[in-house]
Amino acid sequence: MRNRSALLAAGSLLAALWCAPAVASPSPGTVDFTDLTWPEIRNAVQGGDTTIIVPVGGTEQSGPYIAVGKHDVRALLLARRIARAAGHALVAPVGAYVPEGGTSPRTSHMRFPGTISITPATFRALLSDAAESFRVQGFTRVVLIGDHGGYQKDLRTVADTLNHRWQGTGAHVLYVPAYYDVVPGAYATWLRQHGHAAEVGMHADLSDTSLMLALDPALVRSQALRAAPLPGAAQGVYGGDPRRADAALGQVGADMQVNATVAAMQHDLTGRNSP
């Protein structure tokens, strides 16, 4: 009986907290979940901000001239732009721990210092648990965007699994592959059409470096890059040539990513992912 009474009391306290009057304070003017107090988050959800964008980055080597936090910084900055453009959305903390290769033996990006890797199973479990945390707080749409290509299939798996589990709850997950696909797709095509065909590669190339310069140039060692000989795979640059990267080129790609994601959110009428 004592345990039952304690549980009832705890439940009553939680209900009272949720229904308590709003704290009188000016609007914080931020879309970052972590910049808000719990009453501000409660009030935002009750006021219709029921979408939470989960930006997934990754900590990995990006050649000698881009800092290893590239994906994390880009994902957060672009998620903020997406949230403001789409409206009624907040931005969750960035997922910085993602699959990046094996550790024994060291494979893929794990062959270089500066990379952090977790297993795909751990990655999927982490995202699923975070999404469940948002759902029980009242968020009805969890939007997954990933800045790195290696785990896109895992994002889709998480979305599909949770959408099946959440049937009848009024909540769903929207995985947006277009956020990432536009970089090796439409953006790479645009660069080739504008005289940069030979400079487009797969990793730490012209497009990767230009995107970083557009969003946070402090993470690019521009002076050293300009003076460098053509970097290659041994240095973590996979194809292309990053030496003529600039912010104006990167802004084109960043705008494409934002526009593609906002469009996907606006067309998300049923909560079902596109094939």
Side-chain angles (χ1 to χ4, degrees):
M1 287 293 293
R2 184 176 300 173
N3 289 340
R4 183 171 181 272
S5 298
L7 288 172
L8 289 172
S12 298
L13 174 61
L14 288 173
L17 288 172
W18 184 257
C19 298
V23 176
S25 62
S27 172
T30 179
V31 293
D32 284 16
F33 185 89
T34 52
D35 285 349
L36 300 173
T37 66
W38 76 258
E40 289 167 346
I41 292 170
R42 176 202 59 193
N43 296 344
V45 171
Q46 291 180 343
D49 294 349
T50 55
T51 290
I52 184 86
I53 300 171
V54 180
V56 184
T59 309
E60 65 176 23
Q61 71 83 20
S62 285
Y65 308 110
I66 307 177
V68 299
K70 170 194 77 177
H71 284 308
D72 301 330
V73 171
R74 282 207 316 234
L76 177 59
L77 294 177
L78 290 172
R80 287 170 176 163
R81 287 183 54 185
I82 292 162
R84 292 190 176 100
H88 299 293
L90 296 180
V91 177
V94 175
Y97 301 100
V98 308
E100 294 281 8
T103 57
S104 183
R106 291 169 64 174
T107 61
S108 189
H109 294 303
M110 274 306 304
R111 294 179 295 113
F112 296 84
T115 303
I116 303 171
S117 188
I118 63 176
T119 66
T122 300
F123 175 66
R124 292 191 296 267
L126 186 153
L127 277 180
S128 297
D129 287 351
E132 182 67 15
S133 296
F134 296 126
R135 185 188 70 80
V136 299
Q137 293 177 54
F139 290 97
T140 58
R141 180 168 66 168
V142 178
V143 178
L144 299 179
I145 58 172
D147 208 66
H148 175 44
Y151 51 66
Q152 296 295 319
K153 63 183 181 300
D154 296 299
L155 297 183
R156 179 173 291 280
T157 297
V158 168
D160 290 344
T161 300
L162 290 180
N163 282 333
H164 178 74
R165 185 184 304 167
W166 290 357
Q167 286 182 5
T169 67
H172 72 278
V173 179
L174 175 67
Y175 160 55
V176 184
Y179 170 87
Y180 174 78
D181 290 346
V182 74
V183 175
Y187 179 42
T189 298
W190 185 91
L191 288 171
R192 294 186 183 101
Q193 291 172 343
H194 288 77
H196 299 284
E199 296 161 288
V200 176
M202 296 178 62
H203 177 76
D205 64 339
L206 179 85
S207 64
D208 216 355
T209 309
S210 294
L211 283 167
M212 200 69 255
L213 286 169
L215 294 169
D216 190 346
L219 269 62
V220 180
R221 309 300 183 253
S222 297
Q223 187 173 352
L225 175 62
R226 300 286 183 256
L230 178 64
Q235 296 170 285
V237 179
Y238 303 149
D241 184 349
R243 292 176 296 179
R244 286 205 300 157
D246 69 50
L249 294 175
Q251 193 58 59
V252 173
D255 290 344
M256 287 182 176
Q257 288 186 278
V258 171
N259 293 339
T261 306
V262 172
M265 293 170 66
Q266 291 172 339
H267 287 88
D268 173 37
L269 302 179
T270 65
R272 300 180 64 87
N273 292 315
S274 300

